[in-house]
Amino acid sequence: MARLKQLELAPPGKTLVMDVLQQPPSQAAVCAQVNCPEVATEVYLSLLLAVDAECAQAALYLDTLAHRLNLPAGLVTQLKLAAEAESAGATRSVA
């Protein structure tokens, strides 16, 4: 939750992510609430930062979510790289 507060999300994206984290709905329910590409990107990135993307089950969930949100493959790659950089920076600042 602390990471979510650090992100500069638009209110609809933040509300949706908070709902997902507190009581995870199905992917279909999440995708049904996403009404524009910007919110789709924010939802995907927020979940990417919130889960352990190295876990096979989480990685599969994220890949399926990206597909259902119709995120372009190039954008997904950029978001994953940004999340890795964010994670590496957070790890360095703690050490």
Side-chain angles (χ1 to χ4, degrees), residues 1 6-8 15 28 30 47 91:
M1 293 295 178
Q6 294 173 346
L7 299 175
E8 295 179 20
T15 300
V30 171
L47 291 172
T91 302

Side-chain angles (χ1 to χ4, degrees), residues 33-71:
Q33 293 183 45
V34 174
N35 58 5
C36 67
E38 293 81 8
V39 173
T41 301
E42 290 180 350
V43 168
Y44 178 82
L45 180 58
S46 298
L47 291 172
L48 178 62
L49 292 171
V51 302
D52 178 6
E54 293 183 21
C55 167
Q57 187 175 8
L60 178 60
Y61 178 88
L62 289 167
D63 288 345
T64 304
L65 181 64
H67 176 74
R68 292 181 98 167
L69 291 171
N70 296 316
L71 295 176

Side-chain angles (χ1 to χ4, degrees), residues 3-34:
R3 282 178 127 183
L4 182 60
K5 291 178 184 177
Q6 294 173 346
L7 299 175
E8 295 179 20
L9 295 176
K14 186 175 270 190
T15 300
L16 181 58
V17 171
M18 290 297 293
D19 290 346
V20 168
L21 292 175
Q22 291 180 8
Q23 186 176 6
S26 69
Q27 276 191 357
V30 171
C31 294
Q33 293 183 45
V34 174

Side-chain angles (χ1 to χ4, degrees), residues 44-45 48 53 59 62-63 66 74-86:
Y44 178 82
L45 180 58
L48 178 62
L62 289 167
D63 288 345
L75 176 60
V76 171
T77 299
Q78 289 177 339
L79 294 173
K80 287 179 179 180
L81 291 172
E84 288 173 11
E86 173 69 24

